[in-house]
Amino acid sequence: MKKSVFFGALAATTLVAGMAAAATIDDVKARGELLCGSSTGLTGFGAPDASGNWTGFDVDLCRAVAAAVLGDATKVKFVPLTGETRFTALQSGEVDLLSRNSTWTMSRDSELALDFVAVNYYDGQGFMVKKELGVSSAKELDGATVCIQTGTTTELNLADFFKQNNITYQPVNVADDNEAQSQYVAGACDAYTTDASGLAASRATLPDAENHIILPEIISKEPLGPVVRHGDNNWGDIVRWTYYALLIAEEKGITQANVEEVLASTTDEEVKRLLGASGDMGVKIGLDNAAFKNAISAVGNYGEIFARNIGEGTSINLARGLNALWTQGGLQYAPPFR
Amino acid sequence: MTTINAVPRDGFRLSMLIYDTRYRAITIQLFVLAMVIAAIWWLGSNLQANLEAKGRPLSFDFLWSRAGYDIGQTFIPYTSDSTHFRALLVGLLNTLVLAFFGCIFATIIGVVVGVLRLSKNWLVALLTSVYVEIFRNIPLLLWILVIFVPLYEMTPAPNAFKLTDAMIASGTEPAASMILGGTVAITNRGTYIPGFLFDRGFEAGWMTALAILLVIAGSLAVHLTLNARARRVQEATGVRPVTWWQSLIVLFVPLAVLLWALGFHLDIPQPPTRFNFEGGVVVPNPFIAMLVALSLYTGAFIAEIVRAGIISVSRGQTEAAYALGLRPNRTMNLVILPQALRVIIPPLISQFLNLTKNTSLGIAASYADLRGTLGGVTLNQTGREVEAMLLMMLIYLSISLTISSLMNIYNRSVQLKER
């Protein structure tokens, strides 16, 4: 009994470990579908809408990659993953790409054998509390009960923040965002902490959003971005440059609406290369030359994706802030497309 | 006589390993053993090779690095500076405490319901049948959620107990009030109950606890001696001396004196001035939800085991007991249940094991059990899935084997003694 259990599990782990070997691009093309690890439902970033279609900021990146690789932005299967399951799912080959507000850290890059290919959202960890609590700073949260998603970097930042400020708290570790939100709303915890963008998204879904405030302290750097498995550099390049193509498109004023028009009339050599009118940039990384044009015409440029899903005017109402283009004082900067 | 010896005496030939029944069994067993060992070796080396290929060889060093995260419910001192190993211990203790109380409550529920289900009272039998069928046939995870969610959705937040100066001025009462004479508060985070405080206690807390335990043990010993003497007198003279007041004094006066000497008083939880109740002891809602769900769920299975055990005792035993003039409840306690135990204990062991293993669903109710710490946060933050999983399997296996060996010892003690 003892032995059979132990070795059965060993067998299972070896099977899983043996799966993630072949080139991802070939798998995706053979399958005709991109498997995209998504959040379990974070409005604005990745959540199914009323008719079951996944929409959101992170979801659009998957659609852009699908458009670039397969020529069709609808050929994506979204796999909802919790904070705990996401990296294992990626490592074991259950998904091709993880686009789910995941923070880039050194240990994830090295120990988890993952590659963060870009930062599509510069974020930081914040706190949300109810207005009636009368708290105006996170440092006033001494003794509070704090809800937190388990398996995230926010868990570690939270411990560090309270320790540094010499105050105490009672953690409530919950499995996912929805659960954390419902406990927070019921008052089972005084504060809910996660990335500020996630807080804004959660707050937007509350019926009494005006009764909740996000505290001014941002206690960490949270560079969020798409993740691929370590070791398949070509696939990493594809995801990275699809993302940069969306950034360059915004920089050059190429939008979902005018992409064909720009292609016909442009005299800018970089734009020509980007849209596949000259050179063979797409072919160089194993795609069509029209790959990036397809991505842009499927989801629009970075600015459009931002504005449509989480920008000012949406219910999430996030300012561009750090995520403005470098030309407008932000951090979003794509290397030259040549 | 020697001539009819059928076994040829010309020594051992290799083919005899297969064709000679004396050796064949051993040959087959050795062959199977070799296959099993080869399979294990292959799986192990495969795992090793794959991990090496990914640049992540098997290593348990992560256990000694700083954990960096906090845990809600801890029975031993733990901070974010403690090691992952300490986090493992915290989770293990949470698992064990939950399993321990779960087994006790599940057994109580199971025995009561199992007996009641055989009741001749139609309503009682029906209600217990409904309970058993509902709990047995719906997954445990759903029961955990069904119990946990109302626990935080429908109970008041600690803030509701707050009494501010403005409220005193206007004469309004807090939205919620404490029960049992203002000593216990049921909130959506947990139930706050009074704790014990000692103003003049020993320096070390365990010394205080030991002193109290020693006094209680001494009192009990004297009480038992008193009873034994009373029985002797009764057997000798037929008249039992009145001892209840002596027992009362012996049982309670020394304890009361000791508690007074230690400066004992109750630490009653105070409504929050900021976020949470101050003082007292909190029984967190995740623990309550897990305990209730596990006890009710496993209790339903135990009820069926108990019922089967009772039915297995021949009807003649009941009739014989009745013929001797025993009333129904004494018949059950003295005649039926002791015999039923022999049938009940073995399947009961596996229910205890199930309950213990089911504690690993704790994360559904935010309960930080072993799977939540070692198999959850530690696994996630260090990325050591294989190591964490192997360790967890080993620990659950050890717990289960310990429980089942203890229960087997008990089982042997209640089995029919054949002499």
Side-chain angles (χ1 to χ4, degrees), chain A residues 111-128:
Chain A
E111 283 171 36
L112 296 189
L114 301 173
D115 279 345
F116 283 78
V117 294
V119 177
N120 71 339
Y121 193 95
Y122 289 94
D123 208 341
Q125 183 178 348
F127 295 90
M128 177 159 69

Side-chain angles (χ1 to χ4, degrees), chain B residues 75-309:
Chain B
F75 288 106
I76 50 174
Y78 172 88
T79 68
S80 58
D81 286 331
S82 309
T83 60
H84 281 296
F85 182 72
R86 189 124 184 131
L88 180 162
L89 288 184
V90 170
L92 177 61
L93 273 177
N94 286 348
T95 292
L96 290 178
V97 169
L98 179 59
F100 177 76
F101 286 106
C103 286
I104 291 178
F105 285 118
T107 311
I108 295 173
I109 293 172
V111 171
V112 170
V113 172
V115 172
L116 288 183
R117 211 183 159 181
L118 290 169
S119 162
K120 291 202 180 67
N121 183 321
W122 177 79
L123 188 63
V124 169
L126 180 77
L127 284 178
T128 47
S129 306
V130 167
Y131 156 73
V132 167
E133 293 309 331
I134 284 185
F135 273 87
R136 264 199 329 173
N137 293 308
I138 292 176
L140 175 58
L141 184 60
L142 295 184
W143 282 120
I144 293 174
L145 294 175
V146 162
I147 291 164
F148 180 56
V149 173
L151 213 53
Y152 73 74
E153 288 282 359
M154 296 169 71
T155 49
N159 270 332
F161 293 85
K162 210 189 279 188
L163 187 66
T164 58
D165 292 340
M167 288 166 78
I168 297 170
S170 66
T172 44
E173 290 285 309
S177 54
M178 295 166 76
I179 56 168
L180 297 180
T183 54
V184 173
I186 298 172
T187 76
N188 60 3
R189 294 173 192 176
T191 297
Y192 292 82
I193 56 173
F196 302 143
L197 273 190
F198 300 95
D199 284 343
R200 299 181 288 274
F202 290 100
E203 198 89 349
W206 64 269
M207 293 260 290
T208 313
L210 187 69
I212 292 173
L213 281 181
L214 280 179
V215 168
I216 292 177
S219 301
L220 274 180
V222 176
H223 165 71
L224 291 178
T225 328
L226 275 175
N227 268 359
R229 212 199 55 184
R231 208 176 306 123
R232 273 202 308 277
V233 174
Q234 186 180 17
E235 278 163 14
T237 65
V239 182
R240 189 180 178 86
V242 179
T243 58
W244 62 267
W245 57 272
Q246 290 166 327
S247 285
L248 221 56
I249 290 172
V250 165
L251 282 179
F252 291 102
V253 171
L255 187 65
V257 169
L258 177 75
L259 289 180
W260 177 80
L262 290 171
F264 169 82
H265 61 91
L266 282 182
D267 177 21
I268 293 169
Q270 297 301 318
T273 49
R274 289 291 293 158
F275 300 107
N276 283 316
F277 274 79
E278 277 141 32
V281 175
V282 60
V283 187
N285 273 348
F287 179 78
I288 298 175
M290 287 304 292
L291 183 63
V292 172
L294 285 171
S295 311
L296 287 177
Y297 181 78
T298 315
F301 287 90
I302 295 179
E304 284 302 90
I305 293 170
V306 169
R307 189 169 70 110

Side-chain angles (χ1 to χ4, degrees), chain A:
Chain A
M1 168 64 194
K2 184 174 177 175
K3 285 200 182 95
S4 64
V5 172
F6 182 78
F7 294 112
L10 260 183
T13 42
T14 25
L15 279 179
V16 170
M19 272 167 61
T24 314
I25 176 81
D26 299 332
D27 291 347
V28 174
K29 281 183 174 165
R31 201 189 298 126
E33 190 175 54
L34 175 75
L35 296 176
C36 177
S38 176
S39 81
T40 51
L42 184 61
T43 311
F45 285 86
D49 65 12
S51 51
N53 296 315
W54 284 81
T55 58
F57 183 75
D58 287 330
V59 161
D60 278 348
L61 183 63
C62 289
R63 295 209 185 276
V65 172
V69 176
L70 301 166
D72 186 347
T74 62
K75 287 184 175 162
V76 191
K77 187 178 170 201
F78 291 96
V79 181
L81 298 171
T82 66
E84 267 196 319
T85 55
R86 54 186 164 171
F87 298 124
T88 319
L90 180 63
Q91 285 162 345
S92 62
E94 204 179 307
V95 295
D96 303 312
L97 162 67
L98 183 70
S99 179
R100 182 208 174 279
N101 49 5
S102 299
T103 306
W104 188 347
T105 69
M106 184 181 168
S107 62
R108 285 178 178 176
D109 232 351
S110 55
E111 283 171 36
L112 296 189
L114 301 173
D115 279 345
F116 283 78
V117 294
V119 177
N120 71 339
Y121 193 95
Y122 289 94
D123 208 341
Q125 183 178 348
F127 295 90
M128 177 159 69
V129 295
K130 287 180 181 148
K131 239 180 207 163
E132 61 182 25
L133 215 53
V135 172
S136 59
S137 156
K139 290 177 184 161
E140 296 169 22
L141 287 175
D142 192 6
T145 303
V146 182
C147 274
I148 183 160
Q149 281 183 65
T150 194
T152 59
T153 49
T154 51
E155 213 163 20
L156 306 180
N157 299 330
L158 181 70
D160 290 349
F161 174 79
F162 275 82
K163 194 181 157 215
Q164 270 161 22
N165 288 290
N166 215 5
I167 51 180
T168 60
Y169 71 107
Q170 185 70 24
V172 177
N173 307 69
V174 293
D176 65 23
D177 189 65
N178 297 329
E179 174 67 20
Q181 202 177 311
S182 69
Q183 290 211 35
Y184 163 72
V185 169
C189 35
D190 298 301
Y192 174 34
T193 182
T194 186
D195 301 337
S197 63
L199 289 179
S202 287
R203 185 169 170 267
T205 60
L206 298 177
D208 58 339
E210 68 280 3
N211 293 333
H212 302 265
I213 53 168
I214 294 173
L215 297 178
E217 280 90 353
I218 294 296
I219 66 170
S220 68
K221 292 188 289 186
E222 304 286 336
L224 310 179
V227 199
V228 298
R229 278 183 293 278
H230 182 81
D232 191 348
N233 293 0
N234 180 242
W235 178 245
D237 288 344
I238 290 171
V239 177
R240 179 181 299 116
W241 282 97
T242 305
Y243 172 66
Y244 285 149
L246 302 177
L247 274 186
I248 296 167
E250 185 185 8
E251 202 180 314
K252 300 284 184 185
I254 310 168
T255 64
Q256 191 171 11
N258 74 6
V259 59
E260 296 293 343
E261 193 186 318
V262 171
L263 178 62
S265 64
T266 187
T267 54
D268 185 330
E269 279 304 315
E270 189 172 14
V271 173
K272 280 187 183 173
R273 283 194 296 272
L274 180 71
L275 298 181
S278 74
D280 55 354
M281 305 302 261
V283 175
K284 273 182 183 162
I285 57 172
L287 303 175
D288 288 346
N289 259 352
F292 301 117
K293 193 200 87 183
N294 290 340
I296 296 164
S297 57
V299 295
N301 64 38
Y302 180 81
E304 287 180 286
I305 296 173
F306 195 102
R308 182 170 64 233
N309 293 305
I310 52 177
E312 282 157 346
T314 64
S315 61
I316 319 284
N317 204 14
L318 290 168
R320 282 294 286 270
L322 290 175
N323 295 294
L325 288 183
W326 63 288
T327 50
Q328 283 146 29
L331 292 173
Q332 292 293 354
Y333 182 107
F337 201 88
R338 60 168 66 251

